[in-house]
Amino acid sequence: MDGKLRNERLVPASGFLVGRITMNVLLIIVIFNFEAGSEVETRVDFEDEAACHAAALDAFLTVDKNAEIRAMDVPDEQEMLEGTMIVYGETGGEIGMYACNVLRATLQRQDG
C-alpha cells in the first residue's frame, strides 16, 4: 500500500468503481526574505500533520538555527488559513509562516 494512503474503502462490487480514499496533508510555507522577496513553497507529500510540521521546522532551521514556531493570533475580522503558524528567528523577528492542512479525500481508481 502506498505510504500516502491513510484510509481504504472499497466501493460495493455492484460494478462501478473500486478505489481508495486518499488523504494527504498540504504544507504551504513562506520564508520571508526582505532583500530578494519572500519564497513560497507548497507540498502535498505528507501522510500526516506531524510529518508536515516537522518538514516546516526543518526548512526554517536552515534559515535560523534558533527558529521558534508559534500559533498565529488571527483577529476575528481577518481571514487566514486555519492552523497558520508564525516562525520567529533568534532576534525575535518574523522569518516566515506556514500552515499544514489535511486535503479533502479523493477517490482513486484501482486497476485490477
Side-chain angles (χ1 to χ4, degrees):
M1 183 189 294
D2 181 351
K4 295 179 187 172
L5 301 176
R6 295 179 53 185
N7 296 324
E8 182 175 322
R9 182 181 80 178
L10 298 178
V11 175
S14 58
F16 293 140
L17 181 67
V18 175
R20 291 185 178 162
I21 301 290
T22 62
M23 293 180 67
N24 290 352
V25 178
L26 168 68
L27 167 63
I28 301 172
I29 187 169
V30 180
I31 297 176
F32 302 148
N33 184 332
F34 297 106
E35 294 174 11
S38 297
E39 301 172 33
V40 178
E41 180 183 348
T42 58
R43 291 177 51 189
V44 292
D45 57 333
F46 305 103
E47 62 184 47
D48 58 42
E49 288 185 65
C52 180
H53 287 286
L57 177 59
D58 287 345
F60 285 109
L61 288 175
T62 63
V63 174
D64 187 319
K65 65 181 179 165
N66 296 311
E68 180 184 334
I69 296 172
R70 298 182 206 153
M72 182 175 186
D73 185 24
V74 181
D76 290 335
E77 61 277 356
Q78 184 177 0
E79 291 186 31
M80 185 60 65
L81 188 61
E82 184 177 329
T84 299
M85 308 297 279
I86 297 292
V87 185
Y88 297 88
E90 184 173 18
T91 62
E94 295 177 357
I95 62 171
M97 60 192 294
Y98 78 94
C100 292
N101 287 283
V102 176
L103 295 174
R104 291 190 176 120
T106 58
L107 186 62
Q108 292 183 342
R109 184 183 176 113
Q110 286 179 314
D111 294 330

